[in-house]
PDB file of all heavy atoms in Angstrom:
ATOM      1  N   PRO A 265     161.538-146.913  34.790  1.00 72.00           N
ATOM      2  CA  PRO A 265     162.195-147.357  36.093  1.00 72.00           C
ATOM      3  C   PRO A 265     161.347-147.327  37.324  1.00 72.00           C
ATOM      4  O   PRO A 265     160.970-146.248  37.742  1.00 72.00           O
ATOM      5  CB  PRO A 265     163.529-146.780  36.202  1.00 72.00           C
ATOM      6  CG  PRO A 265     163.372-145.475  35.363  1.00 72.00           C
ATOM      7  CD  PRO A 265     162.216-145.721  34.428  1.00 72.00           C
ATOM      8  N   LEU A 266     160.947-148.481  37.734  1.00 72.00           N
ATOM      9  CA  LEU A 266     159.898-148.545  38.947  1.00 72.00           C
ATOM     10  C   LEU A 266     160.367-147.674  40.180  1.00 72.00           C
ATOM     11  O   LEU A 266     159.583-146.899  40.800  1.00 72.00           O
ATOM     12  CB  LEU A 266     159.695-150.037  39.280  1.00 72.00           C
ATOM     13  CG  LEU A 266     158.749-150.339  40.456  1.00 72.00           C
ATOM     14  CD1 LEU A 266     157.327-149.836  40.198  1.00 72.00           C
ATOM     15  CD2 LEU A 266     158.699-151.771  40.760  1.00 72.00           C
ATOM     16  N   PHE A 267     161.608-147.815  40.442  1.00 69.00           N
ATOM     17  CA  PHE A 267     162.107-147.234  41.780  1.00 69.00           C
ATOM     18  C   PHE A 267     162.717-145.983  41.593  1.00 69.00           C
ATOM     19  O   PHE A 267     163.135-145.311  42.554  1.00 69.00           O
ATOM     20  CB  PHE A 267     162.971-148.217  42.561  1.00 69.00           C
ATOM     21  CG  PHE A 267     162.073-149.100  43.512  1.00 69.00           C
ATOM     22  CD1 PHE A 267     161.621-150.336  43.038  1.00 69.00           C
ATOM     23  CD2 PHE A 267     161.683-148.652  44.759  1.00 69.00           C
ATOM     24  CE1 PHE A 267     160.810-151.175  43.825  1.00 69.00           C
ATOM     25  CE2 PHE A 267     160.861-149.476  45.571  1.00 69.00           C
ATOM     26  CZ  PHE A 267     160.515-150.732  45.002  1.00 69.00           C
ATOM     27  N   LYS A 268     162.964-145.550  40.407  1.00 73.00           N
ATOM     28  CA  LYS A 268     163.774-144.221  40.161  1.00 73.00           C
ATOM     29  C   LYS A 268     163.078-143.058  40.832  1.00 73.00           C
ATOM     30  O   LYS A 268     163.808-142.262  41.488  1.00 73.00           O
ATOM     31  CB  LYS A 268     163.812-144.027  38.576  1.00 73.00           C
ATOM     32  CG  LYS A 268     164.980-143.255  37.932  1.00 73.00           C
ATOM     33  CD  LYS A 268     166.318-143.704  38.573  1.00 73.00           C
ATOM     34  CE  LYS A 268     167.515-143.065  37.951  1.00 73.00           C
ATOM     35  NZ  LYS A 268     168.245-144.089  37.175  1.00 73.00           N
ATOM     36  N   PRO A 269     161.815-142.887  40.761  1.00 74.00           N
ATOM     37  CA  PRO A 269     161.039-141.797  41.516  1.00 74.00           C
ATOM     38  C   PRO A 269     161.345-141.775  42.988  1.00 74.00           C
ATOM     39  O   PRO A 269     161.190-140.781  43.676  1.00 74.00           O
ATOM     40  CB  PRO A 269     159.627-142.005  41.139  1.00 74.00           C
ATOM     41  CG  PRO A 269     159.631-142.848  39.873  1.00 74.00           C
ATOM     42  CD  PRO A 269     160.800-143.700  40.040  1.00 74.00           C
ATOM     43  N   LEU A 270     161.754-142.873  43.586  1.00 74.00           N
ATOM     44  CA  LEU A 270     161.986-142.987  44.992  1.00 74.00           C
ATOM     45  C   LEU A 270     163.422-142.912  45.330  1.00 74.00           C
ATOM     46  O   LEU A 270     163.904-143.252  46.553  1.00 74.00           O
ATOM     47  CB  LEU A 270     161.384-144.372  45.502  1.00 74.00           C
ATOM     48  CG  LEU A 270     159.896-144.537  45.302  1.00 74.00           C
ATOM     49  CD1 LEU A 270     159.328-145.796  46.110  1.00 74.00           C
ATOM     50  CD2 LEU A 270     159.035-143.335  45.863  1.00 74.00           C
ATOM     51  N   ALA A 271     164.278-142.652  44.415  1.00 72.00           N
ATOM     52  CA  ALA A 271     165.695-142.546  44.612  1.00 72.00           C
ATOM     53  C   ALA A 271     166.099-141.730  45.843  1.00 72.00           C
ATOM     54  O   ALA A 271     167.062-141.969  46.511  1.00 72.00           O
ATOM     55  CB  ALA A 271     166.487-142.178  43.330  1.00 72.00           C
ATOM     56  N   MET A 272     165.369-140.661  46.104  1.00 74.00           N
ATOM     57  CA  MET A 272     165.566-139.761  47.170  1.00 74.00           C
ATOM     58  C   MET A 272     165.114-140.259  48.527  1.00 74.00           C
ATOM     59  O   MET A 272     165.225-139.627  49.580  1.00 74.00           O
ATOM     60  CB  MET A 272     164.958-138.312  46.950  1.00 74.00           C
ATOM     61  CG  MET A 272     165.363-137.726  45.588  1.00 74.00           C
ATOM     62  SD  MET A 272     167.167-137.424  45.491  1.00 74.00           S
ATOM     63  CE  MET A 272     167.242-135.905  46.517  1.00 74.00           C
ATOM     64  N   ALA A 273     164.385-141.414  48.472  1.00 76.00           N
ATOM     65  CA  ALA A 273     163.814-141.900  49.729  1.00 76.00           C
ATOM     66  C   ALA A 273     164.297-143.333  49.979  1.00 76.00           C
ATOM     67  O   ALA A 273     163.440-144.271  49.782  1.00 76.00           O
ATOM     68  CB  ALA A 273     162.342-141.828  49.614  1.00 76.00           C
ATOM     69  N   PRO A 274     165.482-143.440  50.413  1.00 78.00           N
ATOM     70  CA  PRO A 274     166.061-144.905  50.584  1.00 78.00           C
ATOM     71  C   PRO A 274     165.251-145.707  51.621  1.00 78.00           C
ATOM     72  O   PRO A 274     165.055-146.906  51.507  1.00 78.00           O
ATOM     73  CB  PRO A 274     167.521-144.672  51.046  1.00 78.00           C
ATOM     74  CG  PRO A 274     167.608-143.207  51.329  1.00 78.00           C
ATOM     75  CD  PRO A 274     166.534-142.439  50.555  1.00 78.00           C
ATOM     76  N   ALA A 275     164.697-144.990  52.692  1.00 78.00           N
ATOM     77  CA  ALA A 275     163.981-145.669  53.722  1.00 78.00           C
ATOM     78  C   ALA A 275     162.736-146.260  53.159  1.00 78.00           C
ATOM     79  O   ALA A 275     162.396-147.396  53.350  1.00 78.00           O
ATOM     80  CB  ALA A 275     163.838-144.716  54.861  1.00 78.00           C
ATOM     81  N   LEU A 276     162.053-145.449  52.294  1.00 77.00           N
ATOM     82  CA  LEU A 276     160.763-145.970  51.747  1.00 77.00           C
ATOM     83  C   LEU A 276     161.076-147.082  50.729  1.00 77.00           C
ATOM     84  O   LEU A 276     160.302-148.116  50.852  1.00 77.00           O
ATOM     85  CB  LEU A 276     160.139-144.738  50.970  1.00 77.00           C
ATOM     86  CG  LEU A 276     158.753-145.078  50.353  1.00 77.00           C
ATOM     87  CD1 LEU A 276     157.687-145.717  51.364  1.00 77.00           C
ATOM     88  CD2 LEU A 276     158.267-143.854  49.634  1.00 77.00           C
TER      89      LEU A 276
END
Side-chain angles (χ1 to χ4, degrees):
L266 177 62
F267 272 92
K268 213 41 175 249
L270 299 183
M272 305 299 283
L276 180 58

